[in-house]
Amino acid sequence: MKLEQTSAWAGLFYFCSRVRESGKDSQAFITFPEGNGRFINFLHDKVKDKTRLKTIALEIIPNEKGVDVVCLNTETNELKGFHCEKVVFAAPIFTANYLIRDFRANPPAYVKEFQHNAWFVANLFLKDRPKTQFEKDFPFAWDNVLYESPGLGYVNATHQKGIDHGATVLTYYYPMCAEENARAKLFGLGWKELADICLTDLSRAHKDIFELTTRIDIMRWGHAMISPRPNFLWSGAREQAQKSYRDIHFVHSDLSGIALFEEAFYHGLRAAGEILKN
Ligand SMILES: Cc1cc2nc3c(=O)[nH]c(=O)nc-3n(C[C@H](O)[C@H](O)[C@H](O)COP(=O)(O)OP(=O)(O)OC[C@H]3O[C@@H](n4cnc5c(N)ncnc54)[C@H](O)[C@@H]3O)c2cc1C
């Protein structure tokens, strides 16, 4: 997102919440070779026996006795129905209008306030590290931001190997937030055009990027993190979306308006409390 598209409150919260007391240093970063996968594997391990993978909810139908859920096994293409007393809806909030039958017919106005941007992510395979151009250049770091660039910069995806020379992979991020119809525009661009955008951008800092790159893999994504836009956090939409609908309880971290693990845990615990109370 561009600065003017971003909630100042969210920006401050993101950094301030990392300081236990005013004036103290920020808490240290924790990072793992497998990234967020470390958390996912840890949490999955606890509930393995009760988890069905490769299964997505297609339709959620509240009724007199609770909620019926129709699911599809994406491996076998088998459909299965579940009669549930309660449903914990942990998918992103915008999906509620596609999944909950009553919302499809009458979409609540607040759901469209939960917006996600489109972006593309490119993995560039380099046969060697880019050379520094000037003596005062900052050394090649893990997370790198380019001055006056429309992109978000890139990370050195092999930094945790602790090797500072030779072949590497750079993961480059480009948000499509500057234009209207960004999603349609992104899908209209092919590999060549997107590769050109990322190489041209990176060449601002690394003149040798064209010679060093041997392969580029590009994915066009909807961003998994909600966009904390100005006038969204305190618009009342989050409070409305947090209320259960019949026997469906909403818990996605979208409900905090900012994507952080702590927020996901908070809403999960909140909904568990609500369900156990009833
Ligand atoms: C690149 C990246 C880096 C991040 N780094 C950090 C970090 O360093 N620290 C941090 O605190 N946070 C980080 N986050 C944010 C963090 O990952 C999220 O806040 C957190 O995962 C949100 O958890 P959640 O359970 O609310 O939702 P999600 O993790 O979004 O889970 C929603 C789940 O719903 C599933 N789903 C969707 N539709 C259906 C359906 N129809 N049927 C069944 N299932 C469905 C999805 O597959 C998904 O598994 C990062 C996010 C990204 C994208």
Side-chain angles (χ1 to χ4, degrees):
M1 292 167 78
K2 300 219 162 292
L3 193 58
E4 57 278 15
Q5 296 171 316
T6 310
S7 154
W9 191 93
L12 285 170
F13 172 77
Y14 185 83
F15 291 103
C16 297
S17 63
R18 277 161 179 65
V19 185
R20 275 200 201 279
E21 274 176 58
S22 173
K24 293 266 159 67
D25 283 345
S26 277
Q27 300 215 57
F29 281 113
I30 309 175
T31 178
F32 306 103
E34 62 273 50
N36 288 349
R38 177 76 161 234
F39 292 108
I40 307 306
N41 294 336
F42 174 81
L43 294 169
H44 181 228
D45 216 40
K46 307 271 165 207
V47 292
K48 254 202 305 249
D49 304 339
K50 299 193 170 80
T51 315
R52 285 166 211 258
L53 298 176
K54 312 279 180 202
T55 306
I56 55 167
L58 293 184
E59 186 159 34
I60 301 172
I61 311 151
N63 57 43
E64 297 311 309
K65 293 190 188 139
V67 188
D68 289 345
V69 182
V70 180
C71 289
L72 172 75
N73 183 312
T74 54
E75 249 172 10
T76 60
N77 269 343
E78 191 192 359
L79 286 171
K80 225 179 197 160
F82 295 89
H83 300 299
C84 313
E85 276 176 44
K86 309 272 181 196
V87 161
V88 174
F89 189 103
I93 299 300
F94 78 89
T95 62
N97 280 356
Y98 301 98
L99 293 173
I100 300 174
R101 184 178 278 180
D102 301 350
F103 284 22
R104 264 190 217 163
N106 285 309
Y110 57 78
V111 172
K112 68 173 183 337
E113 298 300 323
F114 290 78
Q115 295 177 11
H116 295 247
N117 269 323
W119 65 343
F120 78 83
V121 178
N123 278 303
L124 293 91
F125 293 65
L126 269 56
K127 58 185 178 202
D128 206 350
R129 312 284 155 128
K131 286 193 185 57
T132 43
Q133 292 184 55
F134 306 104
E135 217 169 293
K136 65 175 173 45
D137 276 0
F138 197 79
F140 192 61
W142 163 47
D143 195 351
N144 304 271
V145 178
L146 307 172
Y147 274 112
E148 292 174 3
S149 154
L152 294 171
Y154 66 90
V155 296
N156 169 17
T158 60
H159 78 287
Q160 298 219 27
K161 289 189 173 164
I163 301 169
D164 65 359
H165 58 275
T168 186
V169 175
L170 306 187
T171 306
Y172 171 88
Y173 306 93
Y174 191 95
M176 299 290 292
C177 53
E179 52 279 280
E180 294 277 306
N181 291 328
R183 229 173 340 155
K185 192 165 177 200
L186 179 59
F187 275 95
L189 295 171
W191 181 89
K192 266 195 174 158
E193 287 121 326
L194 296 173
D196 192 40
I197 291 174
C198 87
L199 285 170
T200 309
D201 191 23
L202 285 169
S203 68
R204 294 164 198 267
H206 306 300
K207 299 282 176 240
D208 46 358
I209 196 74
F210 294 98
E211 296 93 75
L212 292 175
T213 305
T214 56
R215 166 177 160 178
I216 308 180
D217 292 345
I218 302 179
M219 297 301 288
R220 296 170 291 193
W221 297 110
H223 203 303
M225 299 162 96
I226 189 157
S227 305
R229 295 170 295 118
N231 303 323
F232 165 62
L233 288 169
W234 310 113
S235 65
R238 295 185 305 114
E239 287 79 359
Q240 283 176 292
Q242 263 178 54
K243 290 191 190 130
S244 53
Y245 175 73
R246 299 183 61 172
D247 288 308
I248 307 172
H249 296 260
F250 299 92
V251 298
H252 195 273
S253 55
D254 280 2
L255 293 166
S256 291
I258 179 165
L260 289 171
F261 279 109
E262 295 92 314
E263 304 302 325
F265 298 143
Y266 167 76
H267 289 292
L269 290 168
R270 173 185 56 72
E274 283 165 16
I275 291 169
L276 293 173
K277 227 172 17 192
N278 292 323

